[in-house]
Amino acid sequence: MEAILNFKQELTGAFGQPIAENPTQAMIEAAYRHHKLDWRYLTIEVAPEGLADAVAGAKAMGFVGFNCTIPHKVSVIPYLDGLGDSAALMGAVNCVVCREGKWIGENTDGKGFLESLCRRFDPKGKRVVIFGAGGAARAISVELALAGVKGITIVNRTAARGQELADLLATKVNDCVEVELEIEFIHWPKEYAVPAHAELVINATSIGLFPQLDATLPISNESIAPHMFVADVIPNPPQTLFVKTARNRGCEVIDGLEMLVAQGVIGIRHWAGIDADTVVMRQALESVFKS
Ligand code: NDP
């Protein structure tokens, strides 16, 4: 019997604005090809006033799911049928999946960070310093809290935003953990020295993101010590000045590509139910950044 031809591909994608410089498609479609999935991941520019129509369109066209990036991570929530646990705690969604006809919002940013971190560093019982209090810092700090870190210091330029995240961690998140977390907020108007007791130091700001390659974190480089494990969320370029400084100071480091790949793996797991090959995905991203 002849095989039945099928020209219909399963659809996934990303909604954001701006979106043109987002490299996720290269990484996800490389995984689809590698795993012989005839699926597509579309990079779609969606303005804030078009979000409702875009979500309705995705539902009408039978998307399997989609990622949401800036500025839709919070505003997409009213169009969904439910939220995963950590997305509900954070109040932000970056990955939507259709499960049995219901559109569920998940957050893979923090989980991706944690997955890439835990391959080399056990955060349980550790003291963490996080630069930033935006979406990435919020997702990462909530997952680290749920993973059992001892204390989190949030260091942020805008006091109100930093305090808001510290308050979320000290109240809602602390209610969900076994051992009470120590939370501190440091306002960051000038150079900051990382305290010697810090064991995990994370840049979760957008400092260093292309095209601002020369931008440096306002910190004392001498305060970065070899016993600190360092992470940077910036995927483009992966070798930020902060990453280079930390390596020069003798620290073990994970870069933003590791987090990007790990959160992509979780997204594919939500949509397709498979564990995608991380090497294939990282290579796809590296070749994009080299070209
Ligand atoms: P937000 O806009 O929500 O937050 C940005 C943060 O950076 C804020 O805390 C902001 O401080 C701080 N910041 C920006 N510029 C400066 C500066 N010059 N000095 C001091 N602080 C500064 O962005 P997101 O949290 O969503 O994203 C942050 C970064 O994380 C982006 O570069 C993004 O590419 C990356 N990211 C990487 C992912 C990955 O998988 N690798 C996943 C998600 C995000 P303030 O509050 O004062 O404005």
Side-chain angles (χ1 to χ4, degrees), residues 126-150:
K126 304 293 195 312
R127 292 179 189 273
V128 189
V129 170
I130 302 181
F131 299 110
R138 185 173 274 253
I140 288 169
S141 57
V142 168
E143 293 296 347
L144 283 172
L146 297 176
V149 297
K150 183 179 174 65

Side-chain angles (χ1 to χ4, degrees), residues 19-201:
I19 194 82
E21 283 186 21
N22 188 314
T24 306
Q25 181 188 56
M27 169 181 85
I28 301 280
E29 291 205 335
Y32 289 165
R33 283 191 297 276
H34 181 77
H35 294 284
K36 310 255 182 300
L37 290 172
D38 187 19
W39 288 33
R40 294 300 315 276
Y41 184 96
L42 309 176
T43 302
I44 305 173
E45 180 100 13
V46 176
E49 59 277 16
L51 182 63
D53 287 344
V55 176
K59 291 178 181 177
M61 289 184 280
F63 270 53
V64 176
F66 54 90
N67 285 130
C68 282
T69 185
I70 291 170
H72 305 313
K73 288 185 182 182
V74 175
S75 49
V76 73
I77 292 175
Y79 308 116
L80 305 177
D81 300 311
L83 297 180
D85 289 347
S86 58
L89 258 181
M90 289 163 206
V93 163
N94 78 328
C95 181
V96 175
V97 54
C98 183
R99 286 193 196 113
E100 294 163 6
K102 302 264 185 248
W103 292 79
I104 306 299
E106 301 280 358
N107 197 308
T108 63
D109 281 339
K111 286 191 170 62
F113 175 84
L114 198 65
E115 213 166 283
S116 60
L117 178 75
C118 287
R119 285 184 206 127
R120 288 204 254 144
F121 180 88
D122 180 4
K124 199 165 183 191
K126 304 293 195 312
R127 292 179 189 273
V128 189
V129 170
I130 302 181
F131 299 110
R138 185 173 274 253
I140 288 169
S141 57
V142 168
E143 293 296 347
L144 283 172
L146 297 176
V149 297
K150 183 179 174 65
I152 300 181
T153 301
I154 300 291
V155 182
N156 200 52
R157 176 182 61 180
T158 302
R161 210 174 182 193
Q163 192 60 59
E164 191 190 324
L165 175 52
D167 291 346
L168 171 80
L169 294 168
T171 54
K172 249 170 114 178
V173 177
N174 235 337
D175 287 345
C176 304
V177 297
E178 281 169 18
V179 181
E180 195 170 346
L181 261 174
E182 295 165 19
I183 304 295
E184 182 185 25
F185 166 62
I186 307 276
H187 186 209
W188 194 20
K190 57 180 171 43
E191 192 174 276
Y192 173 75
V194 178
H197 65 246
E199 294 156 292
L200 173 61
V201 181

Side-chain angles (χ1 to χ4, degrees), residues 109 132-136 156-158 161 205-207 233-234 256 259-260:
D109 281 339
N156 200 52
R157 176 182 61 180
T158 302
R161 210 174 182 193
T205 73
S206 41
I207 298 172
V233 299
I234 302 294
M259 173 180 171
L260 189 60

